[in-house]
């Protein structure tokens, strides 16, 4: 999936992946897609919950080895 920007949040513990996602999303234009890479297991529920509560769209999520991947479209 093509993304506008990639955020590498690997190695960061909760709540930092969500904090970084919010900061990056604030910089993007409506319709842009942020790809997020995280290793914190809490991100599996935290990032989709944040996307829903913030009005942005979680397009896809995946896992490759121990890396969680999320694609979020800015509203």
């Amino acid at each position: 999936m093509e993304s506008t920007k990639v955020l590498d949040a690997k190695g960061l513990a909760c709540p930092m992946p969500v904090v970084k996602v919010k900061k990056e999303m604030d910089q993007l234009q409506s319709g842009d897609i942020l790809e997020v890479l995280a290793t914190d297991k809490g991100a599996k529920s935290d990032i989709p919950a944040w996307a829903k509560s913030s009005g942005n769209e979680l397009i896809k999520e995946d896992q490759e080895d121990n890396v969680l991947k999320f694609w979020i479209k800015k509203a």
Side-chain angles (χ1 to χ4, degrees), residues 39-56:
T39 51
D40 178 37
K41 297 300 178 206
K44 191 166 183 70
S45 60
D46 292 348
I47 290 178
W50 176 85
K52 185 176 183 180
S53 70
S54 66
N56 296 295

Side-chain angles (χ1 to χ4, degrees), residues 2-62:
E2 191 172 324
S3 54
T4 307
K5 187 163 187 177
V6 177
L7 170 63
D8 185 349
K10 296 187 302 260
L12 298 178
C14 185
M16 289 313 294
V18 172
V19 170
K20 296 274 189 184
V21 166
K22 182 191 181 316
K23 188 174 182 180
E24 289 297 328
M25 291 298 281
D26 287 346
Q27 305 300 316
L28 298 178
Q29 301 297 318
S30 180
D32 286 350
I33 297 173
L34 178 65
E35 179 179 347
V36 183
L37 310 175
T39 51
D40 178 37
K41 297 300 178 206
K44 191 166 183 70
S45 60
D46 292 348
I47 290 178
W50 176 85
K52 185 176 183 180
S53 70
S54 66
N56 296 295
E57 180 185 358
L58 178 64
I59 298 174
K60 180 180 176 186
E61 60 182 292
D62 199 2

